[in-house]
Amino acid sequence: ETGVTQTPRHLVMGMTNKKSLKCEQHLGHNAMYWYKQSAKKPLELMFVYNFKEQTENNSVPSRFSPECPNSSHLFLHLHTLQPEDSALYLCASSQDLMRISGANVLTFGAGSRLTVL
Amino acid sequence: AQSVTQLGSHVSVSEGALVLLRCNYSSSVPPYLFWYVQYPNQGLQLLLKYTTGATLVNGINGFEAEFKKSETSFHLTKPSAHMSDAAEYFCAVKRSGGSYIPTFGRGTSLIVHP
């Protein structure tokens, strides 16, 4: 496979469940991102990892827990979510954060559509 | 802080008509600007980017954008719309600071009528 692959594409969970979203990239990139896309809102950057190290956490509630075991994989662990957390969660990757020549173009996955009941 | 404003949450055009999607930026330094497109049930993909040099930038699928410093604008155009252009379009600007993470606008939904 090429590009950025996200699984599952759709997830329905109750507020007491624990689930995980998975993202995998085969582009040789070193930076990976989680974004939240809600209706009628701008894209919200959640977390950024660069060379497996978390470089950014934009005040995301602790019920979202990211994990980046290597530069190719990124997880978002979910527990005790709220209905307002229902959204499309997008994973993206880029060469790295400081790539001037490439201007850090992001490659996105197709997203995981999360519904919290 | 760097930011972008997209004018119009929805733009409707007829097939074959000119497409114009507006984006204005706010930046304290020379900006890096991007347009991304999101087709239904897909992630975002890069249409084109401006870093330095030529102010008229060509992208994929016949789209182009012109960087106008005097107007702080980076509008996206296409001479003739096709039904397959129906999608959500996002303007983005590189954030301030050392890293090259983009800040996205709210998006403009392009509707193409037959």
Side-chain angles (χ1 to χ4, degrees), chain A residues 6 9 88 90 108-111, chain B residues 37-45:
Chain A
Q6 290 188 242
R9 292 293 310 275
L88 182 67
L90 291 166
F108 284 82
Chain B
V37 60
Q38 184 178 29
Y39 297 104
N41 301 314
Q42 295 186 27
L44 282 71
Q45 66 181 85

Side-chain angles (χ1 to χ4, degrees), chain A residues 47 61-67 75-79:
Chain A
F47 302 102
S62 60
R63 57 185 184 269
F64 294 91
S65 175
E67 179 189 2
F75 294 89
L76 188 62
H77 302 301
L78 317 168
H79 61 98

Side-chain angles (χ1 to χ4, degrees), chain A residues 35-53:
Chain A
Y35 282 88
K36 177 182 179 182
Q37 187 176 31
S38 305
K40 304 188 187 303
K41 286 187 176 181
L43 274 169
E44 299 174 54
L45 180 64
M46 301 175 71
F47 302 102
V48 181
Y49 280 81
N50 196 36
F51 292 92
K52 301 190 300 179
E53 298 296 321

Side-chain angles (χ1 to χ4, degrees), chain B residues 34-55:
Chain B
F34 310 84
W35 276 99
Y36 283 82
V37 60
Q38 184 178 29
Y39 297 104
N41 301 314
Q42 295 186 27
L44 282 71
Q45 66 181 85
L46 182 73
L47 265 180
L48 49 80
K49 67 179 187 286
Y50 169 79
T51 54
T52 58
T55 56

